[in-house]
Amino acid sequence: MIRRTVDLSPQARDGFDALIDVRSPAEFALDHIPGAINLPVLDDAQRAAVGTEYVQGSKFLARRTGAALVARNIAAHLEDALGDRDGSFRPLVYCWRGGQRSGAMVTVMDQVGWPVTVLDGGYQTWRRQVKAALYDAPLPHRLVLLDGPTGAGKTALLGAVAARGTQVLDLEALAAHRGSLFGAMPGGQPSQKAFESRLHDALSRLDPARPVLVEAESSKIGARVIPPSLWAAMSAAPRIRLESPVPVRAARTVRDYAAIAADPTALDTALTRLPPHISKQMVAEWRALAAAGEVEALAAELIVHHYDPAYRRQGQAGARAQVASVEIASLDAAALETAADQVAAAVSALSPS
């Protein structure tokens, strides 16, 4: 018997052995339910050809051709990706709206004998839930911002604090961007919709009754925009300020951005993207430092003359209550661990008694 559901809570999704997205690879790449695998019943070229025939030619021929393609593709998935699944396999299947594509897949799966479930409304059901959570309703979580200037060690500290059991939301990891001039990561950023799906999934797995530590960001991380419900909660959140001396911050920046620091061409290209208020003479001096391999001196210059002024302007635009100040005085692992203990304690102190 084919089951139907609209329950996409983490607990419900985790109860399935697989989430199967049967849409085309291009649709899947744009966005999908986190954790889903793509087993398309029509690939991109097949979907386009069938759609063109349906609109411009014969609807009957389009359906007959499409049915043959879908049958062959499902057969290939049964023999390949699903070939090692036994009779207890419990999948959740979805397409764009929960129509013909998912219907074809679950019909065959049901005949195989698998206890299969189809998502009513398909991907659109998921997308509506994401939009409702991130655009329409106030965020139920109590956020605490980890604030501090560039190079202070916020990203490393987030991981260390999470290891202590504190709830953490790592926005830069979800956006696949470090949020700075040199912040691009290999593989590029997810689409805006995919970023929002990742956010919704991460937030839905956090306990709203406990505070959540999140790195202070601008309203955009690279090209991705923080959705309004999350941004409103971040704007109102108290902060823990992280401090670190400029030389330590410069050394940490060079270490954390080792890949671009070792690539003179990429480094020079990034420097050409500095905002127009930076003088041409200063940019030329920085490019000369980069060309000479003086990357730590360059990092210090950028921190003092570009990042810190921008950080101060940002702070003046929206002052937040500060609940603690923590310093990482060196690059030593012990200094990070001490700071993580202090931050975790400060966040814990904000929990309801």
Side-chain angles (χ1 to χ4, degrees):
M1 180 183 69
I2 298 172
R3 299 154 179 81
R4 312 190 74 87
T5 190
V6 293
D7 186 357
L8 290 173
S9 64
Q11 296 79 10
R13 285 182 281 135
D14 292 347
F16 293 101
D17 295 321
L19 308 181
I20 299 177
D21 185 324
V22 300
R23 297 176 302 156
S24 69
E27 292 172 293
F28 183 83
L30 182 63
D31 185 29
H32 54 268
I33 300 174
I37 60 173
N38 188 209
L39 299 181
V41 298
L42 290 173
D43 65 25
D44 295 321
Q46 291 167 344
R47 179 170 175 261
V50 171
T52 299
E53 178 64 35
Y54 189 88
V55 173
Q56 299 179 5
S58 164
K59 290 180 172 55
F60 169 77
L61 183 58
R63 283 192 286 263
R64 189 183 69 184
T65 302
L69 292 169
V70 166
R72 282 195 287 270
N73 290 333
I74 291 175
H77 295 322
L78 291 175
E79 294 171 345
D80 185 11
L82 303 176
D84 62 346
R85 300 290 190 167
D86 63 22
S88 65
F89 179 51
R90 296 182 63 252
L92 173 69
V93 177
Y94 70 92
C95 61
W96 184 255
R97 291 190 180 90
Q100 291 182 335
R101 288 184 286 177
S102 60
M105 179 68 100
V106 299
T107 297
V108 174
M109 287 183 154
D110 180 58
Q111 290 299 308
V112 168
W114 285 321
V116 61
T117 303
V118 65
L119 176 60
D120 271 337
Y123 163 79
Q124 291 296 320
T125 294
W126 168 258
R127 181 61 190 165
R128 283 192 294 271
Q129 293 183 17
V130 172
K131 289 183 69 176
L134 297 179
Y135 283 80
D136 301 335
L139 207 69
H141 304 78
R142 297 185 301 115
L143 304 184
V144 182
L145 296 187
L146 182 60
D147 203 358
T150 295
K154 299 186 292 294
T155 300
L157 195 58
L158 274 182
V161 173
R164 284 158 171 75
T166 300
Q167 294 195 129
V168 165
L169 182 67
D170 190 341
L171 293 177
E172 293 184 358
L174 295 171
H177 197 282
R178 293 192 181 101
S180 69
L181 179 68
F182 306 100
M185 294 183 183
Q189 293 191 265
S191 70
Q192 180 67 29
K193 286 182 177 180
F195 173 52
E196 291 171 5
S197 283
R198 294 177 182 185
L199 274 176
H200 178 56
D201 179 53
L203 286 165
S204 67
R205 295 177 184 278
L206 297 173
D207 181 359
R210 297 170 52 213
V212 179
L213 186 67
V214 58
E215 185 174 342
E217 301 282 356
S218 64
S219 60
K220 290 181 68 177
I221 306 174
R224 298 297 153 250
V225 178
I226 295 177
S229 296
L230 177 57
W231 181 246
M234 290 174 65
S235 299
R239 66 188 175 102
I240 297 171
R241 181 177 171 84
L242 187 60
E243 304 278 7
S244 191
V246 169
V248 175
R249 290 163 54 201
R252 181 181 291 109
T253 300
V254 171
R255 184 190 66 186
D256 291 348
Y257 292 83
I260 192 169
D263 186 341
T265 301
L267 191 55
D268 187 70
T269 300
L271 290 171
T272 64
R273 297 196 299 265
L274 283 160
H277 67 264
I278 304 291
S279 72
K280 292 182 179 179
Q281 179 182 349
M282 188 168 287
V283 172
E285 292 173 357
W286 293 347
R287 293 178 73 180
L289 285 174
E294 300 288 340
V295 289
E296 197 159 319
L298 171 62
E301 284 284 309
L302 285 166
I303 284 170
V304 171
H305 298 291
H306 171 54
Y307 287 113
D308 281 4
Y311 175 72
R312 287 192 291 269
R313 288 192 299 271
Q314 198 175 39
Q316 292 165 1
R320 304 178 181 93
Q322 181 171 310
V323 296
S325 180
V326 174
E327 183 177 15
I328 302 181
S330 74
L331 288 180
D332 294 343
L336 178 68
E337 294 302 314
T338 298
D341 287 337
Q342 294 172 340
V343 170
V347 173
S348 179
L350 297 173
S351 299
S353 56

